[in-house]
Amino acid sequence: MIFVPHSHKFLSRHPSLPDPLPPPKPLFGATQIVESEFEYVWKAELVGLDAEDVQYAVNAPRITVFADFAAKDVENDGMTSRHERVQRSVRKTLKMPGNADPSRVTSVRSGDVFTLVIPKLSDANLA
């Protein structure tokens, strides 16, 4: 059944129509922040994305991690053709600690894990 918001009626889906694409999954899975003596490391598990598709922007005191996702489903059985597209973007903003050095943030992309390395300011820069 399909709900039509303005008419408040339910419409039956025609039996010859295929099921629509499944609802999109969240693109960032589990995240983890680890602090060491010299840096902070933020890791995000990616769902349905390649790590190469994820980008980041530093605008101290914040880091924004963002990605675009597009999926296309095409079926053609000779008589009919069906095209469905799903496009999403995801954005996550992190606030950097006061002792982080925004000029030296780097990223590491590996498989389905995106990692940000946020170095700490040296003691000389804190004074």
Side-chain angles (χ1 to χ4, degrees), residues 13-83:
R13 188 174 182 88
H14 193 277
S16 68
L17 291 175
D19 290 332
L21 289 173
K25 296 178 182 176
L27 300 178
F28 288 117
T31 60
Q32 176 185 29
I33 298 175
V34 177
E35 180 181 6
S36 70
E37 184 179 351
F38 300 106
E39 65 192 10
Y40 298 94
V41 177
W42 180 76
K43 291 185 179 189
E45 188 178 305
L46 305 175
V47 179
L49 277 179
D50 292 328
E52 292 77 30
D53 296 334
V54 180
Q55 301 173 30
Y56 70 96
V58 178
N59 189 10
R62 290 178 169 66
I63 299 175
T64 302
V65 181
F66 55 95
D68 293 321
F69 172 79
K72 184 177 177 182
D73 186 25
V74 178
E75 275 187 19
N76 190 348
D77 65 3
M79 302 214 28
T80 59
S81 180
R82 177 181 67 91
H83 297 266

